[in-house]
């Protein structure tokens, strides 16, 4: 899913969302023990919080037998409305895997944002870092899913509901003290750069998801790209040599992993996919959590693939990892 990389225009104002009681954020430093090649929070870490930096949106999934021809109609056989967006999906998955998680994202000031934030709190996500942008509508993603698994997105993610550097800077302390920071690269470059900067000021495991430029790759511990994104990045060994400790690329029939001293190819799991849209988000979350728990790259890779396989069995991108 791509997003417009422009920043909000003049006059766009924002407030920090304060939804009242919800999951609290551990603000303590991760400490020296948080770095075991930055893959494990380590026994000496005082923070085990994951921070996700990315999109929050309203997801509507419409299942049809087949797309109608122009000028005709088709009956919807199933309809789902849920908390969505790559950032929110990843945060839901992290919470389902038992880790405390905070979400840095932007919503509008409409009634839909109230519903989505309430759902996020119910899911166990700390939404205090979420920015509420005055005068903006909350992001919307409509997925039309055909019976054969083919899907199409209609999305309304205007610049005001994308992260700015200032939005991220407001959560600088949270990013500095996190055990892991997961960054969605479809967000504007200035917001991504700010998230990387503050994550690197602490001991966080830095996980980037998407098409990374060379500077981002050099600052990341883990680089994840789906099959289409991997084709843009090129050779996995070249990416690994640029600095990351683990690279995970989607392939036509599975996933390829590379780390210093090893590689692994894993096929897709879970049988025929119903809807592939949320598989990558569960993949990234499970990979991150496994590495924080001290799993080896092969162990973490298998957990990531299994998490993705469980998510693609139902319509919509919402994880179901419990």
């Amino acid at each position: 899913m791509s997003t417009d990389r422009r920043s909000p225009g003049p006059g766009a104002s924002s407030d920090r969302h304060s939804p009242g009681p919800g999951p609290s954020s551990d603000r303590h430093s991760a400490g020296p023990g948080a770095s075991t090649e930055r893959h494990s929070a380590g026994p000496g870490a005082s923070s085990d919080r994951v921070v996700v930096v990315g999109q929050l949106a309203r997801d509507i999934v419409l299942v049809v037998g087949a797309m109608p021809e122009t000028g005709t109609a088709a009956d919807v056989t199933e309809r789902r409305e849920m908390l969505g967006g790559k950032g929110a999906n990843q945060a839901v998955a992290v919470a389902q895997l038992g880790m405390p998680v905070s979400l840095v994202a932007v919503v509008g000031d409409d009634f839909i944002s109230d519903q989505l934030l309430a759902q996020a709190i119910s899911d166990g996500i700390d939404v205090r870092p979420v920015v509420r942008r005055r005068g903006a509508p909350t992001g919307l993603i409509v997925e039309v899913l055909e019976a054969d698994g083919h899907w199409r997105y209609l999305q309304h993610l205007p610049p005001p509901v994308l992260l700015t550097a200032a939005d991220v800077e407001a959560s600088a302390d949270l990013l500095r003290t996190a055990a892991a920071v997961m960054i969605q690269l479809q967000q504007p470059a200035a917001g991504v750069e700010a998230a990387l900067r503050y994550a690197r000021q602490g001991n966080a495991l830095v996980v980037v998801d998407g098409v990374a430029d060379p500077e981002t790759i050099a600052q990341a511990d883990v680089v994840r790209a789906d099959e289409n994104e991997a084709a843009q990045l090129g050779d996995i060994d070249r990416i690994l040599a640029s600095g990351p400790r683990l690279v995970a690329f989607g392939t036509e029939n599975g996933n390829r992993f590379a780390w210093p001293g090893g590689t692994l190819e894993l096929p897709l799991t879970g049988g025929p996919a119903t809807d592939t849209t949320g598989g990558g988000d569960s993949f990234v979350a499970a990979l991150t959590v496994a590495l924080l728990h001290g799993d080896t790259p092969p162990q973490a890779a298998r957990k990531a693939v299994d998490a993705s396989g469980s998510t693609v069995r139902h319509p919509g991108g919402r994880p179901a990892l419990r």
Side-chain angles (χ1 to χ4, degrees), residues 17 19-24 49 52 55-58 81-85 87-96 99-107 112-132 138 318-319 322:
H17 181 73
S24 62
R49 180 165 296 276
V52 179
Q55 192 71 53
L56 186 160
R58 178 189 185 190
E81 299 191 31
M82 66 199 84
L83 171 68
N89 285 342
Q90 291 177 8
V92 168
V94 170
Q96 290 177 350
M99 295 286 291
V101 60
S102 299
L103 177 60
V104 180
V106 181
V107 295
I112 291 296
S113 65
D114 295 330
Q115 297 175 357
L116 297 178
L117 291 169
Q119 178 61 58
I121 293 170
S122 177
D123 286 326
I125 301 168
D126 170 24
V127 299
R128 287 173 294 180
V130 173
V131 173
R132 172 165 286 184
T138 297
R318 180 178 172 83
R322 284 181 177 147

Side-chain angles (χ1 to χ4, degrees), residues 33 51 124 241 260:
V51 180

Side-chain angles (χ1 to χ4, degrees), residues 3 160 207:
T3 57
V207 180

